[in-house]
Amino acid sequence: MTDDDPFETVAEAKRSLSDDARERAIAYQHDLDKLSARERIDYLLDDGTFEEIGRLASPMPTTPETTDWEREDAPADGVVTGFGTIDGRNVAVFATDFTVKGGSIGHAGGRKMKRVSERALDRGLPLIMLHDGGGHRIQEGLDGAPFARGDNGFSSLQTALSGWVPVVSAMMGPAFAAPTNFAALSDFVSIVEGTGTMGVAGPSLVKSALGVDGSKNELGSARFQTTETGMADLACEDDEACLDAIRTFLSYLPRNARREPPTADPKPPTDEAVERLRDIIPASARKGYDIYAIIDGIVDRESTFELKPTYARNIVTTFARLDGNSIGVIANNPRFKAGTIDTAASEKASHFASLCDAYGLPIVTLTDVPGILPGPDSEQEGIARHSAKLPFELARATVPIANVVLRRGYGFGYVAMGGGRSLDSELTVLWPTAELAAMGIEGAVDIAYRQEIEAADDPESRRQELIERFEARTDAVRAASRVGIDGVVQPEQTRDRIRRAFERATEPRDAEWPPKKHPINPI
């Protein structure tokens, strides 16, 4: 075999790009407690299924001068792209490589990303993006000729992918700028604690543009982006946990919107979990309780996967399974802000409802809500507009919806959670502990009967008398008397009632009337 053997030339070119041939760079990545781009893909995908494209790509410099960086070795132009399977189902994937020019995205790498994304669009494949780098490569962006193309159509590609196939972004290193833009249009965003960051701009650009100092953690740490902003859905302790979360997320969803969600073996909740349902809700409406225990008593055993668990904790959004089938659960959490719906809760729940509807997951809403959060701060955040988002998404949904009122169903909060005939739901029922009214009784009495109370010989006694009179008119039996709901069920009957309602809802709805392109989201 000669040195100019074309077969060996190609084989050697590919070998030179492997992790084994780049020991120093890979060791540096490991010292940062991070897997390499190729290790991440190998861990994520089923063994031996990765098929790479664009492995021999190299940089496409556009700056006028010749510099050392143009001649540097840049394996695969810093982006590993291709296809493989997860749990036997095909996916498209790309991972930016922090060991190559800091994981920046050059023109060649961008073309590779676009190629796999277009295949994902055309063939209905989930798209997974593993981010570890600083966005677009600055050296290749300081030229109007290539930049005039904008992002080369990637935003429109992601928009086309949205609701067609699951789109995932994992923030596994510095991921300011472009990776954050990609994440904003993704269905699921996971971030690695300690190494992952995200935001529209990193510290250097913020300092240059605004003169403001800020560390990576202050601008975009995992805690900040999961708990404060809700940009990321889940913080993970390391790379492996982050990749495991992606596999779990995808296990609830179909390959694309034309397919059925995957199923699992039914695992009914334990007898103990079901029996507990009667005892969870306290007698006093002022006390909180464990909403997760109620969810566990209804859905399949150990089947939940919660999104945004540390953001807007007054509402819970979680995937689960019911008799082996994927569903979404939206539940008020009385232990935080008494389960009141504020701006953050509305945005979190409405996005989750839209996600479930897009991929065919029936929705269960568990209601215990005192209303929409009032007050000057809430009004300044635009609560009047934001509070319409959840009922908007539930009303436009085509999947079956079941609403269960556990305790309080007050005011527009009751409507927002899909209570009664607010929606054309498959099922809307009350627990015996339910209380329904246009607003909290004590507040309503104080407003509507203020003059009568003040004029009474014993104002406090008269006030309490009025409160008790109207509280007697809010119970579950009276609420069911005019067929505003489908009935009152015992807690232990809830799972079967929901399951049977969803089993009946197999025929697709005709959504062609009235004739229009789409309703307009109250953004």
Side-chain angles (χ1 to χ4, degrees), residues 10 27 150 154 182 195 201 214 258 269 276 397 446 469:
V10 170
F154 207 82
F182 300 152
T195 55
R258 282 185 176 174
R276 266 192 76 194
D446 289 340
R469 178 197 297 177

Side-chain angles (χ1 to χ4, degrees), residues 275-286:
E275 290 167 2
R276 266 192 76 194
L277 292 177
R278 284 199 174 214
D279 303 321
I280 292 171
I281 296 181
S284 172
R286 295 181 180 275

Side-chain angles (χ1 to χ4, degrees), residues 487-506:
V488 182
V489 302
Q490 300 295 345
E492 63 272 18
Q493 299 169 337
T494 308
R495 172 184 169 88
D496 284 341
R497 286 296 296 269
I498 296 172
R499 179 179 58 79
R500 288 195 296 268
F502 287 168
E503 286 176 351
R504 292 193 296 269
T506 55

Side-chain angles (χ1 to χ4, degrees), residues 315 330 341-342 345-347 349-351 353-354 363 365 372 383-397 401 411-419 422-425 519-522:
I315 204 157
I330 300 172
I341 296 176
D342 58 6
S346 183
E347 290 183 344
S350 61
H351 184 270
S354 181
I363 299 170
T365 60
I372 307 299
I383 187 62
R385 181 177 70 254
H386 288 285
S387 63
K389 290 183 176 181
L390 177 56
F392 175 87
E393 292 298 343
L394 291 175
R396 75 189 295 201
I401 297 173
F412 191 68
Y414 174 69
V415 174
M417 292 295 291
S422 305
L423 302 175
D424 185 16
S425 299
I520 301 169
N521 192 303

